[in-house]
């Protein structure tokens, strides 16, 4: 599901030895990725990260990337783009068989209610899985509706044009994320799930037969987990209990709020967490159980529509995935095989150490880069 960022475009299918340039405007940073080689023999040609948040993050990325575009070793001009889920409203809209003639109006009204943007709102939708052949007439049909403000599309388009690349399309981050996860699990026939714990937006999805069959925003975010862990760890640092709290106090009131949280923040947190696994697991119990209740509700909904189907495993991605003890806490709460995604390792893609150190943060750009090849 995508939005066009230029008027004329052809279907996205690439046959070159370099992938398109993948650009993901995330909540905390912008990531640029390009692969070289081909399926079965990919390696990273270029990988760039620029910290920046809020509505100014697009031009922050441009200002940092433009001077080093030549040194980045990027090839070609075609770019595939994605935006953070926090900028997109996700809704499940039931289809009333007796009122199908008004569905377009219903979708439009739902989209306009879900996003406030002075420049207008645009939306896309897709059906979610009619799968129950045995009793399809009893399956409630639903549409997955995604809405985004026109101002966000404009900022993306302007940034890419300034970088002198040709934007082919824009996707919501969940779809390239699902593409990466699917490439890692092509042999799994049972349904499986992914949970993206973004800094201020999380989303849970279920894949089946290579297709996205369920998607829902979740309450627990990476920011919430971060604050929970910071509060717990501060108890073990009597000499300077406010040091990490000061570093995590990432909001400044200028023209807008700017988040100051980086990979170094997680590194510092992990160092402080050494030797405190049991305490952190106890601290995370309430958060993980609340998330588990949300996930279980999603699974009941999914099982009702797919004849009792159960999840095979859960892949974690995003900012919160690698926070101390989060993986273990969620696995215990869900009683489901759970692991932090390592797509470059799983797919045999050669990458720099800096990328391999945080593979879970590159799932979305990678899903853009491999589009048209998988």
């Amino acid at each position: 599901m995508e939005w066009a960022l230029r008027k004329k475009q052809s279907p996205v299918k690439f046959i070159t030895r370099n992938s398109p340039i993948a650009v993901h405007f995330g909540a905390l940073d912008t990531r640029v990725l390009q692969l070289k080689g081909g399926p079965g023999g990919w390696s990273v040609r270029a990988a760039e990260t620029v910290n920046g948040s809020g509505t100014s993050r697009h031009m922050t990325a441009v200002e940092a990337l433009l001077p080093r575009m030549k040194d980045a070793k990027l090839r070609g001009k075609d770019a595939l783009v994605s935006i953070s889920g926090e900028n997109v409203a996700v809704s499940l809209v039931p289809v009333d068989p007796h009122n199908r003639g008004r569905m377009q109006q219903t979708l439009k009204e739902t989209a306009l209610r879900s996003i406030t943007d002075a420049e207008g709102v645009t939306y896309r939708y897709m059906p979610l899985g009619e799968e129950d052949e045995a009793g399809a007439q009893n399956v409630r049909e639903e549409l997955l509706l995604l809405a985004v403000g026109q101002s966000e599309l404009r900022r993306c388009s302007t940034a890419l044009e300034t970088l002198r690349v040709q934007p082919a399309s824009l996707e919501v981050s969940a779809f390239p994320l699902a593409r990466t996860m699917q490439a890692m699990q092509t042999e799994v026939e049972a349904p499986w799930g992914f949970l993206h714990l973004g800094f201020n937006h999380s989303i849970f999805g279920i894949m089946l037969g290579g297709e996205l069959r369920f998607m829902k925003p979740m309450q627990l975010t990476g920011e919430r987990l971060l604050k929970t862990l910071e509060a717990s760890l501060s108890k073990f640092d009597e000499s300077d209990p406010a040091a990490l709290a000061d570093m995590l106090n990432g909001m400044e009131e200028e023209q807008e709020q700017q988040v100051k949280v980086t990979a170094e923040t997680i590194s510092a947190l992990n160092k402080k967490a050494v030797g405190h696994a049991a305490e952190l697991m106890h601290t995370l119990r309430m958060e993980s159980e609340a998330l588990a209740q949300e996930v279980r509700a999603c699974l009941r909904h999914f099982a009702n529509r797919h004849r009792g189907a159960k999840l095979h495993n859960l892949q974690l991605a995003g900012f919160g995935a690698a926070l101390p003890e989060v993986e273990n806490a969620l696995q215990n709460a869900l009683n489901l095989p759970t692991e932090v995604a390592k797509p470059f390792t799983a797919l045999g893609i050669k990458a720099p150490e800096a990328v391999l150190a945080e593979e879970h943060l590159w799932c979305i750009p990678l899903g853009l880069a491999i589009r048209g090849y998988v």
Side-chain angles (χ1 to χ4, degrees), residues 103-307:
M103 279 311 301
Q104 288 299 324
Q105 185 63 28
T106 299
L107 292 169
K108 181 178 180 180
E109 291 171 355
T110 304
L112 291 173
R113 285 196 303 269
S114 62
I115 291 281
T116 300
D117 192 310
E119 297 182 28
V121 175
T122 187
Y123 64 92
R124 298 288 185 270
Y125 63 92
M126 62 179 288
L128 282 182
E130 293 293 333
E131 183 66 19
D132 193 349
E133 296 90 348
Q137 70 274 11
N138 297 320
V139 177
R140 190 181 187 187
E141 187 180 355
E142 293 175 322
L143 297 176
L144 180 67
L145 175 70
L146 296 100
V148 63
Q150 292 282 8
S151 62
E152 177 68 14
L153 298 182
R154 174 183 52 76
R155 287 189 288 268
C156 289
S157 181
T158 300
L160 295 163
E161 289 172 3
T162 308
L163 287 173
R164 303 187 186 98
V165 297
Q166 298 175 347
S169 66
L170 181 145
E171 291 185 86
V172 179
S173 58
F175 293 96
L177 171 66
R179 192 176 299 125
T180 293
M181 299 296 190
Q182 177 59 30
M184 296 168 56
Q185 304 201 81
T186 54
E187 297 182 1
V188 178
E189 296 182 359
W192 53 270
F194 63 84
L195 177 63
H196 181 76
L197 291 168
F199 184 73
N200 48 24
H201 182 270
S202 295
I203 197 157
F204 172 66
I206 299 177
M207 301 288 292
L208 177 62
E211 296 180 356
L212 182 65
R213 297 299 182 89
F214 182 90
M215 187 168 74
K216 183 181 183 298
M218 310 299 278
Q219 295 295 316
L220 183 63
T221 65
E223 181 182 23
R224 186 162 142 187
L225 286 169
L226 188 64
K227 290 180 178 179
T228 299
L229 291 169
E230 183 275 326
S232 178
L233 287 172
S234 67
K235 302 173 185 176
F236 308 113
D237 190 1
E238 297 297 334
S239 61
D240 190 8
L244 188 60
D246 288 342
M247 181 176 63
L248 299 179
N249 185 20
M251 304 306 252
E252 277 188 353
E253 297 254 346
E254 295 176 357
Q255 290 184 347
E256 62 177 342
Q257 291 181 325
Q258 296 290 323
V259 182
K260 291 184 178 178
V261 180
T262 67
E264 287 73 25
T265 307
I266 300 180
S267 177
L269 196 69
N270 277 302
K271 288 179 181 178
K272 288 178 68 75
V274 173
H276 300 299
E279 294 93 335
L280 293 183
M281 284 288 287
H282 179 75
T283 298
L284 289 169
R285 186 174 300 166
M286 289 185 64
E287 300 284 16
S288 57
E289 182 54 38
L291 177 67
Q293 290 182 14
E294 275 195 279
V295 171
R296 284 192 284 267
C298 295
L299 296 181
R300 286 193 295 271
H301 177 87
F302 183 80
N304 288 337
R305 293 172 54 87
H306 295 83
R307 291 174 289 177

